[in-house]
Amino acid sequence: MPSEMNKHGLPRYIPANVRREVRQRCGFGCAICRDAFVQYDHFDPEWVDATAHIADGIALLCPSCHGKRGNRLISVNQVRECRERLTRTPTPVSFGFASDGQPWCVQVGHTKIHDGGAFVIGGQEILRVAPVAGFGVAISAIFTDSNGNIICRLEENVFETDPRDIVDHEITANRFKWRARDAGGRLSATLDADSKTLHITELNMRVGGARLYIDDDGIFRNPISDFIGVPQGTTVHVAGKLTHSQGPGWSGIHIGHMQVGGEKLNPVPHESIEQVHQRLYSTAIPLPEGMVVGESVAGEVPKPRSRVGRNDLCPCGSGKKYKKCCASN
């Protein structure tokens, strides 16, 4: 087991502010190959000889390039030159994942968009989970900040981030975080190959006049779930299978195609899909010809209830706080 201190008493732990500066200098990816999965490398001087953690002597290298650097297959000058080139001309950083030929889903808060599903607002495709024969699925998405500026793109299972669009991007194990230049622009996700789920845990974005975000209770708020007022004539389109949930005990709904106008409708999450359909028509906001609301998920529609706060006792009767119990599921 390597020593936690070098001969000068310098610990291996690099302070958070230094790590952030190193990430920014290297454009949030490997200085050599631009892979997003990286390690911090003391290249000048090496850690065994360093007396302090100084960002100028540390670079981000992927495990492969880090190994080559340790074996003297990549020189100190190469690392420094690549990093300086990134400062002059930032290039995108990317990482991808394989679907292993199995169906995946994208979970946004409590909402799951399943294999074959898509989410489109105002003609702009926000997210698609497309089945590919022999490959599994190809997930594509676009993520913006609260002003509509790009944070990152997901193109057929490959995340791509332009360093000029963000102020920070960090990967820890299978957890990913992006921080936009807009103070309200945050995106966090977890990738789990065992459960075949890409879970978006933090989101606050705007597309056209529509806001999409995850609230403090982990609920995905969007024009479908809340009937939020969006510019007149904007089409909110969900194709395929989407399960929307307000948390444990709530039925989901499958939605085919829906258009919502500028008038705000009060959300009533316990309604049946037939009631939603009737209420849409009663507000004189018709669905476009050929567009219909889909079937409700099998099972009883729960009775109305007030929302359970994260610090309230869990309604399942466990005696634990909701956030420590069913909310985590």
Side-chain angles (χ1 to χ4, degrees), residues 2 9 36 40 49 53 62 104 166 176-177 180 211 238 289 301 308:
Y40 294 86
D49 297 318
H53 294 295
C62 71
W104 279 55
I166 59 174
F176 316 97
K177 291 184 179 181
R211 184 185 175 207
V238 174
E289 185 177 352
V301 176
V308 180

Side-chain angles (χ1 to χ4, degrees), residues 41-117:
D41 177 48
H42 289 77
F43 70 96
D44 189 19
E46 294 187 4
W47 177 76
V48 293
D49 297 318
T51 57
H53 294 295
I54 300 174
D56 186 59
I58 306 173
L60 295 183
L61 297 179
C62 71
S64 176
C65 292
H66 198 182
K68 291 177 182 178
R69 169 77 196 98
N71 290 320
R72 301 296 189 268
L73 298 176
I74 295 176
S75 70
V76 169
N77 286 339
Q78 280 178 287
V79 176
R80 190 174 294 281
E81 287 171 5
C82 287
R83 190 182 62 180
E84 290 175 354
R85 189 182 306 121
L86 288 170
T87 302
R88 297 191 301 270
T89 310
T91 57
V93 59
S94 64
F95 66 91
F97 59 94
S99 60
D100 300 326
Q102 301 296 319
W104 279 55
C105 78
V106 177
Q107 181 172 341
V108 187
H110 292 313
T111 299
K112 291 185 177 181
I113 300 176
H114 302 271
D115 191 8

Side-chain angles (χ1 to χ4, degrees), residues 199-211:
H199 190 184
I200 308 300
T201 56
E202 190 176 23
L203 180 73
N204 182 18
M205 62 184 283
R206 184 173 296 277
V207 180
R211 184 185 175 207

Side-chain angles (χ1 to χ4, degrees), residues 234-307:
T234 296
T235 299
V236 179
H237 169 200
V238 174
K241 182 182 177 186
L242 179 147
T243 305
H244 176 70
S245 169
Q246 295 287 2
W250 291 95
S251 286
I253 55 175
H254 292 178
I255 301 176
H257 305 73
M258 181 180 294
Q259 175 165 318
V260 185
E263 185 175 344
K264 184 175 182 179
L265 305 175
N266 292 323
V268 186
H270 62 271
E271 285 183 310
S272 69
I273 199 69
E274 292 79 17
Q275 288 172 314
V276 172
H277 190 239
Q278 181 181 7
R279 193 156 62 88
L280 281 170
Y281 276 106
S282 69
T283 55
I285 305 175
L287 296 173
E289 185 177 352
M291 287 190 174
V292 296
V293 178
E295 300 294 326
S296 60
V297 171
E300 263 186 47
V301 176
K303 295 179 181 179
R305 63 170 180 171
S306 59
R307 182 187 299 172

Side-chain angles (χ1 to χ4, degrees), residues 313-324:
L313 289 177
C314 188
C316 75
S318 66
K320 299 179 182 178
K321 289 185 177 181
Y322 177 60
K323 66 182 180 181
K324 298 287 187 179

Side-chain angles (χ1 to χ4, degrees), residues 131-160:
V132 179
F135 179 74
V137 297
I139 302 174
S140 299
I142 183 170
F143 299 102
T144 73
D145 62 21
S146 56
N147 290 320
N149 302 310
I150 298 292
I151 291 180
C152 77
R153 298 176 185 273
L154 173 58
E155 186 67 32
E156 296 187 347
N157 302 351
V158 177
F159 281 96
E160 184 170 287

